[in-house]
Amino acid sequence: MIHSTLLGILAAVLSVFVAILIEGASLRSFFHLPAMLLIVGGTLGATFASYSISQVTKAVRDTRFALSRKKERDLKLIFFRFWEKARKDGLLSLEDEAKKLDNPFLQKGIQLIVDGSDPRTIEEILWEAHEEEEKNDMKSAKVFETAAGFSPTVGIIGTVLGLVTVLENLDGGTKVLGQGIATAFIATFYGISFANLILLPISNQLKVVAKRESNERQAIMRGILSLQSGENRRILAERIDPFVKY
């Protein structure tokens, strides 16, 4: 099943093409390779100049993760299993369970319990790790947001360049002049379209995923501390619930 963000981008792009056809314009007139190269190359260049290569590549990886439909973890079910195990065999028995986890943050929390760390230390370590992860996740969204800011500006640069060319060839006649002006504005069209139909929606989706991941980590922190303190199953669920309903 296609992701809602991809579906939305596809619908937006198709709407633009349909509007062009309804207006009676030719789609061919809206395809201009130099303008497209300018927008893509200029936007990428400005974005790479603003961030490190590792940050940009991480943003691309995070986008692939955000747009892939993965089954969400049932944290309550996981912690209920831990609770049953700890109640029967003690907290130390959770060490084997921790090795089977595919969530490094949850694995770290369980390991801290097994190591006998005090609650304050566990909370501090997990909170610092959470804040760092949240900062990195939001930075990926910021990369696309920055690119969306550059794209229309690069489009304006392309339009100015096109108009300069037009003004240098005023003796070409009205028809040639009109075609030249229309072509010049294609760059602005590309820049605004890339920013608002592709880059900003991706940035917003990354923010949604970052918020969901943030809530999941906070639920894990509450669950870890509840497990360590030996609270009953109902209290454990109450501590997790506010963060898994997002």
Side-chain angles (χ1 to χ4, degrees):
M1 183 178 180
I2 190 169
H3 193 279
S4 61
T5 300
L6 292 176
L7 185 62
I9 291 174
L10 180 61
V13 172
L14 285 177
S15 297
V16 172
F17 285 126
V18 171
I20 292 172
L21 292 175
I22 291 176
E23 285 293 325
S26 171
L27 287 177
R28 183 179 298 178
S29 64
F30 281 84
F31 181 78
H32 193 252
L33 186 58
M36 187 174 292
L37 290 175
L38 175 65
I39 296 301
V40 174
T43 301
L44 282 176
T47 303
F48 273 106
S50 303
Y51 298 92
S52 66
I53 294 178
S54 61
Q55 288 172 337
V56 176
T57 53
K58 182 181 183 302
V60 174
R61 288 197 306 270
D62 288 348
T63 301
R64 292 175 58 189
F65 171 78
L67 298 181
S68 63
R69 287 192 171 275
K70 294 186 177 181
K71 186 177 180 181
E72 295 185 9
R73 302 181 186 90
D74 190 338
L75 284 178
K76 288 177 67 173
L77 187 63
I78 292 173
F79 273 103
F80 286 163
R81 189 174 73 245
F82 287 159
W83 182 84
E84 290 285 351
K85 181 75 173 174
R87 188 173 65 89
K88 292 178 181 178
D89 305 319
L91 290 174
L92 292 178
S93 65
L94 298 179
E95 185 169 16
D96 291 335
E97 293 291 328
K99 296 177 181 178
K100 303 175 185 176
L101 299 173
D102 62 350
N103 185 320
F105 190 81
L106 179 54
Q107 191 173 40
K108 181 195 290 283
I110 294 296
Q111 192 60 54
L112 287 170
I113 290 179
V114 172
D115 291 343
S117 305
D118 65 87
R120 185 179 181 84
T121 300
I122 292 177
E123 186 171 14
E124 288 176 352
I125 292 175
L126 291 181
W127 186 257
E128 288 172 1
H130 159 69
E131 286 188 321
E132 189 62 28
E133 285 288 333
E134 187 172 45
K135 188 188 305 180
N136 289 333
D137 290 343
M138 291 304 295
K139 189 172 290 183
S140 293
K142 187 66 177 175
V143 168
F144 280 92
E145 192 174 306
T146 300
F150 286 132
S151 184
T153 306
V154 176
I156 293 173
I157 293 173
T159 297
V160 172
L161 291 175
L163 290 176
V164 169
T165 303
V166 169
L167 293 174
E168 288 179 342
N169 297 277
L170 289 177
D171 57 348
T174 306
K175 183 177 180 180
V176 174
L177 181 63
Q179 290 177 341
I181 293 175
T183 301
F185 280 101
I186 291 296
T188 298
F189 168 75
Y190 282 157
I192 295 174
S193 298
F194 269 89
N196 292 280
L197 303 184
I198 299 176
L199 298 174
L200 283 178
I202 291 176
S203 174
N204 290 335
Q205 179 61 27
L206 286 173
K207 290 177 182 178
V208 170
V209 173
K211 178 63 176 176
R212 185 170 66 239
E213 293 289 312
S214 173
N215 281 355
E216 182 177 276
R217 287 190 297 271
Q218 292 189 64
I220 289 173
M221 282 191 285
R222 300 304 184 272
I224 290 294
L225 294 172
S226 181
L227 273 179
Q228 188 187 44
S229 61
E231 293 176 336
N232 63 50
R233 182 177 170 130
R234 183 180 63 81
I235 297 298
L236 172 62
E238 289 290 339
R239 293 193 183 280
I240 294 177
D241 271 342
F243 300 99
V244 295
K245 291 179 179 179
Y246 179 80

